[in-house]
Amino acid sequence: MADFTDEKILLKEIKDGNDQAFEFLFKSYYPRLRGYASRFVEDQEAVRDIIQESFLKFWEKRELIEAISVSALLFAMVRNACLNYLKHLQIVEQHNVEHLASIAGREELYSLDFNPSPEYTLLYNELQEQVNVVIDTLPTRCREVFIMSRFDKKKNREIAEALSISTTAVEKHIAKALTTFSKHFKDKYPLDIYIVIIAWLLSD
């Protein structure tokens, strides 16, 4: 297998559809991601599903990913998936949140959603306002498709049927929305916040 240790080369090859590059990515990061996700989710079968689904979404939307840290984006996506899993089980209680927020180490950034401090509450309120700003700038149909996809959790096929358009048209509207979000947050916020937003967008 070729050596893809340079992240820029790795991301370029993945965006070009190189299966070997994606296999390298999976084998390189799976152990760390599994250990990271296991801090939040005890069920190891669920952990495996979360990681595999995150990699799948990364691959499916690879063309939309800009030249940012691959590892940071993967950890952020897995974090979002863990949080969604825990919310689904309705087991996120205050003592769980405080425990998760106290985890130290280089991956602490990716636990941002679990931090209950006023500083992060203000940040997320601000980011939510900016998300609404971007949504309001989208063309009507593009905005409609994005909301149905991201917030109503509808599949592309369901959106196409509901709006009487093709799935290709749905994909183009979503791609346009993601590009608009990417540019807005990349221009206004530091890299770590930009990564958080991109991970959120890719984790629909």
Side-chain angles (χ1 to χ4, degrees), residues 36-132:
Y36 172 66
S38 296
R39 298 180 180 182
F40 309 133
V41 177
E42 294 182 0
D43 186 331
Q44 289 304 298
E45 184 175 349
V47 166
R48 287 192 294 271
D49 290 343
I50 284 170
I51 296 173
Q52 289 175 0
E53 183 67 18
S54 296
F55 273 108
L56 178 61
K57 288 178 179 177
F58 187 98
W59 175 255
E60 289 177 341
K61 301 182 180 180
R62 61 190 182 279
E63 295 180 1
L64 303 173
I65 301 173
E66 299 294 332
I68 60 176
S69 169
V70 172
S71 59
L73 182 56
L74 280 171
F75 275 104
M77 291 177 70
V78 169
R79 176 214 59 202
N80 287 353
C82 288
L83 180 58
N84 288 338
Y85 173 82
L86 293 173
K87 283 181 177 178
H88 179 70
L89 294 181
Q90 297 182 334
I91 61 172
V92 181
E93 300 173 357
Q94 188 61 33
H95 71 274
N96 298 113
V97 173
E98 290 174 351
H99 165 68
L100 295 170
S102 68
I103 294 175
R106 59 176 297 183
E107 287 138 16
E108 185 176 3
L109 164 67
Y110 315 122
S111 305
L112 202 59
D113 295 85
F114 295 108
N115 197 314
S117 72
E119 176 187 354
Y120 288 116
T121 299
L122 288 173
L123 172 61
Y124 272 88
N125 287 341
E126 177 185 340
L127 293 179
Q128 183 59 57
E129 289 179 3
Q130 290 301 308
V131 165
N132 292 332

Side-chain angles (χ1 to χ4, degrees), residues 1 4 9 35 40 76-77 93 112 124 130 135 149 180 184:
M1 182 183 295
F4 301 105
I9 295 176
F40 309 133
M77 291 177 70
E93 300 173 357
L112 202 59
Y124 272 88
Q130 290 301 308
I135 289 176
S149 173
T180 304
H184 179 86

Side-chain angles (χ1 to χ4, degrees), residues 61 64 134-135 137-150 155-156 159-182 201 204:
K61 301 182 180 180
L64 303 173
V134 177
I135 289 176
T137 67
L138 296 174
T140 303
R141 179 48 62 89
C142 182
R143 179 169 63 248
E144 188 175 15
V145 168
F146 178 78
I147 289 174
M148 291 176 72
S149 173
R150 188 63 188 82
K155 303 295 184 183
N156 289 0
I159 298 172
E161 292 176 354
L163 300 179
S164 298
I165 58 178
S166 67
T167 54
T168 299
V170 171
E171 292 168 359
K172 288 182 178 179
H173 282 305
I174 293 175
K176 180 179 179 62
L178 293 179
T179 299
T180 304
F181 271 97
S182 177
L201 290 169
D204 58 1

